[in-house]
C-alpha cells in the first residue's frame, strides 16, 4: 500500500509531462511555422523544428509507458528531469535575449512549465526511489 502512495505523485507528473510533450510535439511536427509566427518571429525553415516535434512525441509516449509500469524506470525519469532542466535553462537564456517585438509569454510560459515539471519529477523520483531503483536480491 505504501508503494502506491510513493508512485502516485510520479504517475501524476508523468501524465502531465506526457501531455505537455505530445501537445508541443504535435505543434512542432505539423505546424511549426504557426508556432514561430505566434512567438512573434519570422518563419524559418520548418525542417529545423519538425524533428524536435517527433522527439517530443516519442518522449511523451515513453512517459506513458513508464506510467503503466514504473518499476526499474529510474533512468528514464532522471533523463526527462534532466531534459526539463536543460530546456528550462535554454528558454531562460532565450527570454533574456528576446528580440524586440517577440511575444514574451510564448517563451516565459513553457519555461515556467518545464521548470515546474523538473521540480516535480525530481521530488517524485526521490519519493518513488524504491520502485524506480529496486534493490537487487
Amino acid at each position: 500500500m505504501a508503494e502506491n502512495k510513493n508512485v502516485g505523485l510520479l504517475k501524476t507528473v508523468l501524465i502531465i509531462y506526457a501531455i505537455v510533450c505530445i501537445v508541443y510535439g504535435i505543434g512542432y511536427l505539423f505546424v511549426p511555422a504557426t508556432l514561430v509566427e505566434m512567438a512573434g518571429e519570422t518563419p524559418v525553415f520548418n525542417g529545423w523544428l519538425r524533428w524536435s516535434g517527433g522527439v517530443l512525441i516519442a518522449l511523451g509516449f515513453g512517459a506513458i509507458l513508464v506510467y503503466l509500469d514504473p518499476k526499474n524506470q529510474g533512468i528514464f525519469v532522471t533523463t526527462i528531469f534532466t531534459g526539463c532542466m536543460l530546456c528550462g535553462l535554454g528558454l531562460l537564456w532565450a527570454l533574456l535575449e528576446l528580440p524586440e517585438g517577440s511575444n514574451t509569454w510564448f517563451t516565459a510560459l513553457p519555461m515556467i512549465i518545464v521548470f515546474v515539471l523538473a521540480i516535480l519529477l525530481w521530488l517524485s523520483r526521490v519519493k518513488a526511489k524504491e520502485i524506480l531503483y529496486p534493490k537487487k536480491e
Side-chain angles (χ1 to χ4, degrees):
M1 189 66 138
E3 238 179 55
N4 290 341
K5 288 182 182 179
N6 291 342
V7 178
L9 176 62
L10 176 66
K11 286 189 167 194
T12 301
V13 176
L14 285 169
I15 288 299
I16 294 168
Y17 176 83
I19 291 168
V20 169
C21 281
I22 291 170
V23 167
Y24 272 95
I26 288 170
Y28 281 114
L29 185 62
F30 295 110
V31 290
T34 302
L35 293 177
V36 172
E37 288 172 18
M38 288 173 62
E41 292 291 324
T42 56
V44 296
F45 174 61
N46 291 335
W48 292 110
L49 297 173
R50 288 190 195 278
W51 72 269
S52 61
V55 171
L56 286 169
I57 292 170
L59 288 170
F61 282 122
I64 291 169
L65 294 174
V66 173
Y67 170 86
L68 295 172
D69 186 13
K71 192 171 184 178
N72 292 315
Q73 298 300 321
I75 292 171
F76 183 82
V77 175
T78 301
T79 300
I80 62 175
F81 156 76
T82 305
C84 284
M85 284 300 297
L86 292 172
C87 183
L89 290 171
L91 288 168
L92 177 60
W93 187 351
L95 190 63
L96 295 173
E97 296 182 348
L98 205 61
E100 190 174 321
S102 296
N103 293 324
T104 305
W105 69 269
F106 200 81
T107 302
L109 181 61
M111 179 191 71
I112 293 166
I113 290 170
V114 294
F115 274 142
V116 168
L117 278 171
I119 293 166
L120 291 173
L121 282 164
W122 182 261
L123 292 173
S124 63
R125 181 183 167 277
V126 169
K127 191 171 182 179
K129 192 172 187 174
E130 296 81 27
I131 286 95
L132 294 172
Y133 298 101
K135 294 179 181 172
K136 296 178 182 176
E137 296 177 28

